[in-house]
């Protein structure tokens, strides 16, 4: 509501000069047709011409100021040579500038946060990745009103969006976006690890991988050697901190009824440490690589 | 006549965009209202609406405003971007309808006082079911280099090829730096005699002294660290500078335990309240 009102108010004052000149123009062309008197025409033409001249002067002044400010950073703007008044060349230069700006707008996705302007605000797109693998993107459609509102979004329900927006959306939008980024990237990373474990290391799992939708509680039974070892280990990984991709609590327990031999106990402890420090699917990749013998040098 | 009107309109759009470029970058934290305002400006300037304008100049003006808006929204300004694409699809792959492309991207810009230059490679493999994009190489150059905490962080980000973590942590790091600078400045203005910033407000140290008690000084060292996972955390320490005689008189070991009590106080009162209480305590002690 507020936005629409402001627009109509400002539209009037902004279009004021030009609208006035437009009216003058139509008047002139009409009267010219009737009386063919060219006297008033030059007056209007010169009024418009003067306005353009003034605008050009102001524009050039601002241009110089901006250039000064960007003196330390290489600017990609090209100067229109005063000699080249050919429309065609100007068009080309403008086209190149436009392509350049378009490219930079596209490049924003590599920062993790990009956006597209909409009629009511901006649709922010948050990208996620894990270990260089680009993963899912999520969007948040914001309405630029007082107070700022989320029109709709694709954030999964188990991400604490309400909490984060209550804390930061109205006061510090950058903090809101980057915090959301943190949570989403961590979730994406945990999900990626669990997915990879399920797909790549099926042979090592003695049963299905149990996981929750937030992927911060994982439980599975596994064998470090697919054949041979008869008593599998049972692992439980808890990621209490939702902004991390490594677990905060790890418990590896032994399934069998008889007591663990010393080597098995060492193995169990070593595995626990591995789960704490390495991404889940990588732990299993290292199991596969070492073959039968678990290399104790992994624990360092 | 028509073309003149169009020209006038386009000039006005350009002037609005230029005016925005002349505005100082805002401090992080006061952003939401500024973002809202900047969006309203764009909406008003482009009274044609959001349809693609046939006029090249006004379209360019609109795009530049959008870029400026994104820069305000994220706090990150990208000034240069270029991309090179190399098709690595072999004839074998084409038969199986697999496409393999290597993109080389170059990006440079700044986040407040820190400028960055990135080069990374993106390998895209498209088969019938899915598209996988992997960053296969990442190299980062940052300035200014006096933030020593950043060099370790940069190598870690490069090693992990974690582009998003780089920008995220960069943002939070800058936010903390600006907050530290504002806090130090505020205390200097409030207690000009007691607070001493030997290296200016941008440094990591703030000294508290009492002019009537020379020789005593409390130094707050406020470092901003980035951990293994890219989390940005403040780390504050208290150093005490006390004349030898005072140390001898300190039977209760107050000075010795000061750094530890400082940490406890931080946990209870938070950063600003702790610093203020320290300044006040040194002040009032002397006036007694």
């Amino acid at each position: 509501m507020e936005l629409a009102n402001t627009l109509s108010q400002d539209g009037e004052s902004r279009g004021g000069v030009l609208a006035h000149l437009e009216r003058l123009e139509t008047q002139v062309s009409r009267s010219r047709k009737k009386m063919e008197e060219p006297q008033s025409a030059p007056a209007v033409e010169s009024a418009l011409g003067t306005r353009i001249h003034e605008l050009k002067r102001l524009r050039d002044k601002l241009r110089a100021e901006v250039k000064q400010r960007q003196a330390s950073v290489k600017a990609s703007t090209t100067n229109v040579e005063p000699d080249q008044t050919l429309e065609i060349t100007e068009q080309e230069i403008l086209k190149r500038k436009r392509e350049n700006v378009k490219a930079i707008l596209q490049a924003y996705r590599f920062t993790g946060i990009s956006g597209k302007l909409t009629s009511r605000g901006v649709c922010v797109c948050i990208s996620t990745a894990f270990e260089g693998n680009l993963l899912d993107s999520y969007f948040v459609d914001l309405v630029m009103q007082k107070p700022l509102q989320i029109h709709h979004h694709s954030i999964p329900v188990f991400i604490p969006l309400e909490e984060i927006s209550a804390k930061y959306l109205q006061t510090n939008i950058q903090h809101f976006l980057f915090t959301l980024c943190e949570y989403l990237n961590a979730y994406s990373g945990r999900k990626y690890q669990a997915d990879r474990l399920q797909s790549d290391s099926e042979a090592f799992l003695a049963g299905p991988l149990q996981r929750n939708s937030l992927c911060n509680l994982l439980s599975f039974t596994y064998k470090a050697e697919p054949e041979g070892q008869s008593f599998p280990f049972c692992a439980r990984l808890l990621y209490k901190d939702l902004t991390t991709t490594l677990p905060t609590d790890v418990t590896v327990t032994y399934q069998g009824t008889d007591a663990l031999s010393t080597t098995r106990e060492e193995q169990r402890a070593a595995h626990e440490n591995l789960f704490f420090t390495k991404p889940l699917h990588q732990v299993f990749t290292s199991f596969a690589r070492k073959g039968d013998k678990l290399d104790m040098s992994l624990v360092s | 006549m028509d073309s003149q009107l169009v020209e006038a309109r386009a000039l006005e759009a350009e002037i609005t965009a230029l005016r925005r470029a002349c505005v100082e970058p805002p401090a992080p934290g006061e952003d939401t209202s500024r973002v809202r305002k900047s969006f309203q400006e764009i909406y008003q300037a482009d009274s044609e609406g959001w349809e693609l304008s046939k006029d090249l100049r006004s379209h360019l003006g609109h795009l530049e405003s959008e870029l400026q808006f994104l820069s305000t929204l994220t706090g990150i300004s990208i000034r240069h971007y270029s991309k090179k694409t190399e098709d690595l699809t072999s004839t074998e792959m084409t038969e199986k309808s697999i496409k393999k492309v290597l993109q080389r991207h170059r990006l440079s810009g700044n986040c407040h006082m820190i400028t960055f230059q990135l080069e990374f490679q993106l390998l895209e493999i498209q088969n019938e079911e899915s598209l996988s994009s992997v960053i296969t190489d990442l190299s980062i150059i940052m300035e200014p280099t006096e933030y020593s905490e950043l060099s370790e962080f940069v190598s870690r980000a490069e090693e992990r090829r974690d582009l998003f973590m780089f920008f995220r942590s960069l943002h939070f790091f800058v936010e903390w730096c600006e907050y530290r600078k504002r806090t130090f400045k505020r205390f200097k203005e409030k207690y000009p005699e007691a607070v001493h910033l030997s290296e200016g407000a941008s440094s990591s140290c703030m000294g508290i002294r009492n002019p009537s008690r020379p020789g005593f000084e409390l130094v707050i060292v406020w470092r901003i660290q980035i951990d293994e996972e890219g989390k940005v955390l403040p780390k504050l320490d208290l150093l005490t500078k006390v004349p030898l005689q005072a140390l001898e008189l300190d039977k209760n070991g107050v000075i010795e335990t000061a750094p530890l009590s400082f940490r406890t106080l931080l946990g209870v009162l938070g950063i600003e309240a702790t610093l203020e209480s320290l300044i006040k305590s040194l002040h009032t002690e002397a006036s007694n």
Side-chain angles (χ1 to χ4, degrees):
Chain A
M1 271 306 162
E2 202 185 284
L3 202 64
N5 287 339
T6 340
L7 179 63
S8 60
Q9 266 177 18
D10 229 276
E12 274 167 44
S13 62
R14 231 179 206 292
V17 178
L18 289 178
H20 181 68
L21 290 169
E22 269 181 77
R23 269 178 264 133
L24 284 175
E25 187 205 359
T26 23
Q27 269 183 13
V28 166
S29 53
R30 260 193 234 135
S31 58
R32 217 194 285 169
K33 277 178 195 160
K34 284 183 186 168
M35 294 188 275
E36 286 183 77
E37 259 186 310
Q39 280 170 5
S40 34
V44 179
E45 266 183 42
S46 69
L48 191 52
T50 325
R51 168 108 179 120
I52 288 178
H53 189 72
E54 278 174 27
L55 286 174
K56 276 190 178 160
R57 232 179 352 109
L58 179 58
R59 192 263 323 262
D60 293 339
K61 188 181 107 188
L62 285 170
R63 267 195 186 160
E65 216 183 289
V66 170
K67 214 165 265 176
Q68 236 187 11
R69 281 169 169 272
Q70 291 178 344
S72 54
V73 184
K74 268 190 284 175
S76 57
T77 48
T78 36
N79 280 325
V80 177
E81 304 296 323
D83 312 326
Q84 293 173 331
T85 46
L86 291 169
E87 222 177 272
I88 303 164
T89 330
E90 229 180 280
Q91 283 261 324
E92 279 179 9
I93 291 172
L94 285 176
K95 275 191 184 158
R96 218 186 307 147
K97 260 205 211 178
R98 185 178 64 175
E99 291 317 301
N100 196 42
V101 176
K102 268 189 181 171
I104 295 182
L105 281 168
Q106 286 292 308
Y108 261 92
R109 69 181 177 113
F110 294 119
T111 64
I113 297 181
S114 70
K116 262 223 111 173
L117 287 177
T118 63
S119 54
R120 46 168 180 259
V122 61
C123 187
V124 180
C125 178
I126 297 175
S127 318
T128 62
F130 185 69
E131 292 183 333
N133 294 279
L134 299 188
L135 304 168
D136 292 327
S137 304
Y138 303 89
F139 74 86
V140 180
D141 203 326
L142 294 170
V143 185
M144 293 286 160
Q145 275 177 2
K146 230 188 202 129
L148 213 64
Q149 279 173 19
I150 298 175
H151 187 248
H152 62 289
H153 64 84
S154 68
I155 313 282
V157 70
F158 39 79
I159 302 283
L161 177 62
E162 269 112 57
E163 225 182 271
I164 301 169
S165 48
K167 263 201 212 161
Y168 304 116
L169 183 59
Q170 304 307 325
T171 50
N172 190 342
I173 197 171
Q174 283 178 11
H175 201 108
F176 165 74
L177 291 174
F178 280 104
T179 307
L180 201 53
C181 227
E182 251 189 328
Y183 277 82
L184 287 170
N185 267 278
Y187 160 68
S188 238
R190 292 192 302 268
K191 180 164 172 291
Y192 178 79
Q193 290 175 63
D195 290 342
R196 282 289 293 269
L197 175 63
Q198 274 185 298
S199 59
D200 298 352
S201 312
E202 252 191 281
F204 292 88
L205 293 177
L209 168 68
Q210 291 178 338
R211 55 200 273 188
N212 62 348
S213 33
L214 195 45
C215 285
N216 74 326
L217 180 56
L218 303 174
S219 178
F220 53 92
T221 317
Y222 72 98
K223 301 182 227 170
E225 305 115 36
E227 330 75 42
Q229 185 198 354
S230 34
F231 303 110
F233 284 130
C234 192
R236 186 176 172 274
L237 274 61
L238 176 63
Y239 303 72
K240 256 196 226 137
D241 185 351
L242 294 182
T243 61
T244 58
T245 52
L246 285 174
T248 49
D249 293 85
V250 174
T251 358
V252 177
T253 49
Y254 164 65
Q255 287 286 278
T257 44
D258 26 323
L260 267 181
S261 64
T262 354
T263 29
R264 286 286 176 223
E265 176 52 43
E266 280 175 356
Q267 213 181 33
R268 193 203 64 80
H271 286 197
E272 254 185 20
N273 197 35
L274 276 176
F275 286 126
F276 262 118
T277 52
K278 274 182 125 161
L280 185 56
H281 59 299
Q282 280 179 16
V283 176
F284 280 86
T285 323
S286 60
F287 287 165
R289 242 185 280 131
K290 292 309 161 183
D292 309 34
K293 214 162 72 161
L294 177 66
D295 195 337
M296 293 305 277
S297 67
L298 279 175
V299 187
S300 53
Chain B
M1 193 62 108
D2 248 325
S3 62
Q4 281 192 311
L5 278 171
V6 170
E7 198 184 348
R9 269 222 172 89
L11 281 166
E12 285 184 350
E14 202 182 344
I15 287 170
T16 318
L18 283 168
R19 279 218 173 100
R20 210 167 296 111
C22 287
V23 172
E24 277 291 339
E30 49 173 57
D31 286 307
T32 305
S33 51
R34 191 177 270 274
V35 163
R36 212 186 300 121
K37 245 183 99 198
S38 134
F39 172 77
Q40 282 176 350
E41 278 172 19
I42 299 174
Y43 205 166
Q44 287 161 22
D46 190 358
S47 51
E48 314 250 82
W50 302 102
E51 307 105 46
L52 242 149
S53 174
K54 289 198 184 115
D55 183 46
L56 196 51
R57 249 189 237 245
S58 56
H59 187 208
L60 179 61
H62 177 83
L63 284 175
E64 281 173 341
S65 318
E66 192 168 351
L67 189 57
Q68 183 65 33
F69 179 75
L70 254 190
S71 161
T72 311
L73 185 70
T74 60
I76 297 171
S77 256
I78 300 178
R79 297 195 194 278
H80 260 309
Y81 172 66
S82 66
K83 162 172 138 181
K84 278 194 213 142
T85 312
E86 195 184 324
D87 195 345
L88 297 178
T89 318
S90 65
T91 35
E92 273 180 61
M93 291 183 199
T94 328
E95 281 164 22
K96 297 186 203 158
S97 20
I98 299 175
K99 196 156 177 245
K100 192 169 172 188
V101 169
L102 183 66
Q103 297 174 350
R104 267 176 255 265
H105 301 263
R106 236 189 222 165
L107 193 58
S108 67
N110 70 292
C111 178
H112 285 262
M113 68 289 189
I114 297 181
T115 50
F116 54 81
Q117 228 176 296
L118 305 169
E119 263 183 50
F120 59 95
Q121 290 185 2
L122 192 67
L123 184 63
E124 277 195 355
I125 301 177
Q126 168 111 54
N127 57 25
E128 276 174 2
E129 310 167 332
S130 58
L131 168 70
S132 87
S133 300
V134 185
I135 298 173
T136 52
D137 192 57
L138 174 61
S139 111
I140 303 169
I141 301 174
M142 285 224 292
E143 274 161 45
T145 46
E146 61 230 28
Y147 291 102
S148 53
E149 303 103 319
L150 287 178
S151 50
E152 215 187 282
F153 159 65
V154 165
S155 349
R156 221 179 291 129
E158 283 178 333
E159 226 179 86
R160 296 215 187 143
R161 294 160 287 131
D162 205 335
L163 193 53
F164 298 154
M165 175 191 86
F166 167 72
F167 280 110
R168 221 165 43 238
S169 306
L170 182 63
H171 164 83
F172 285 124
F173 180 80
V174 166
E175 211 184 53
W176 271 108
C177 281
E178 299 276 302
Y179 174 61
R180 177 179 65 187
K181 186 167 155 185
R182 276 201 312 272
T183 312
F184 281 174
K185 252 193 182 158
R186 202 165 63 82
F187 283 134
K188 176 73 188 169
E189 278 163 22
K190 196 168 176 191
Y191 307 98
E193 295 294 313
V195 171
H196 182 67
L197 299 168
S198 55
E199 290 160 38
S202 307
S203 78
S204 54
C205 295
M206 177 176 96
I208 307 174
R209 354 168 131 150
N210 197 304
S212 51
R213 283 256 195 102
F216 275 95
E217 188 173 359
L218 295 176
V219 177
I220 314 278
V221 182
W222 183 350
R223 280 192 215 94
I224 296 161
Q225 295 181 331
I226 310 181
D227 75 2
E228 288 273 325
E229 291 263 311
K231 272 243 184 90
V232 182
L233 301 156
K235 189 160 185 300
L236 287 99
D237 281 304
L238 178 71
L239 300 175
T240 53
K241 259 158 80 173
V242 177
L244 208 58
Q245 303 159 312
L247 262 180
E248 288 165 5
L249 289 170
D250 180 21
K251 302 287 179 211
N252 295 325
V254 171
I255 294 167
E256 226 181 277
T257 57
L260 203 58
S261 340
F262 177 65
R263 293 254 178 86
T264 322
L265 209 60
L266 275 176
V268 175
L269 295 177
I271 296 176
E272 285 186 68
T274 306
L275 294 186
E276 186 139 30
S277 69
L278 273 178
I279 298 172
K280 283 192 179 151
S281 68
L282 206 63
H283 231 148
T284 47
E285 221 187 69
S287 44
N288 280 350

